[in-house]
């Protein structure tokens, strides 16, 4: 947990602005990658991966788009 998990993932991404647009684009690319490697919606593991990616991507958002508000650890 000290080297992995969402707290470390957030820490590693703090230098980068990550808002909802970036989160959604990353999700789109991850799902496209799953399709490309054959992990399509008919595979049992697909919903598990989608849930994890959605959760992780949301947790690393650090910018709501305003100048006043920045999420931090």
């Amino acid at each position: 947990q000290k080297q992995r998990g969402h707290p470390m993932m957030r820490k590693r991404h703090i230098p980068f602005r990550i808002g909802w647009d970036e989160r959604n684009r990353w999700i789109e690319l991850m799902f496209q990658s799953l399709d490309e490697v054959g992990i399509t919606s008919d595979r049992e593991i697909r919903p598990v991966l989608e849930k994890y990616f959605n959760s992780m991507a949301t947790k690393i958002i650090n910018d709501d788009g305003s100048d006043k508000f920045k999420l931090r650890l």
Side-chain angles (χ1 to χ4, degrees), residues 12-25:
R12 289 182 180 157
H13 286 81
I14 283 178
F16 310 102
R17 183 199 164 282
I18 300 172
W20 283 100
D21 289 343
E22 292 77 17
R23 175 233 183 257
N24 292 339
R25 179 65 175 145

Side-chain angles (χ1 to χ4, degrees), residues 6-51:
H6 87 267
M8 183 56 70
M9 186 68 76
R10 284 197 64 175
K11 187 176 180 179
R12 289 182 180 157
H13 286 81
I14 283 178
F16 310 102
R17 183 199 164 282
I18 300 172
W20 283 100
D21 289 343
E22 292 77 17
R23 175 233 183 257
N24 292 339
R25 179 65 175 145
W26 184 82
I27 291 292
E28 181 183 327
L29 293 170
M30 289 303 291
F31 290 3
Q32 182 180 21
S33 296
L34 290 174
D35 289 336
E36 289 174 8
V37 298
I39 304 175
T40 53
S41 59
D42 60 331
R43 300 284 301 273
E44 198 173 309
I45 191 69
R46 179 69 180 243
V48 175
L49 292 171
E50 287 182 2
K51 183 178 178 180

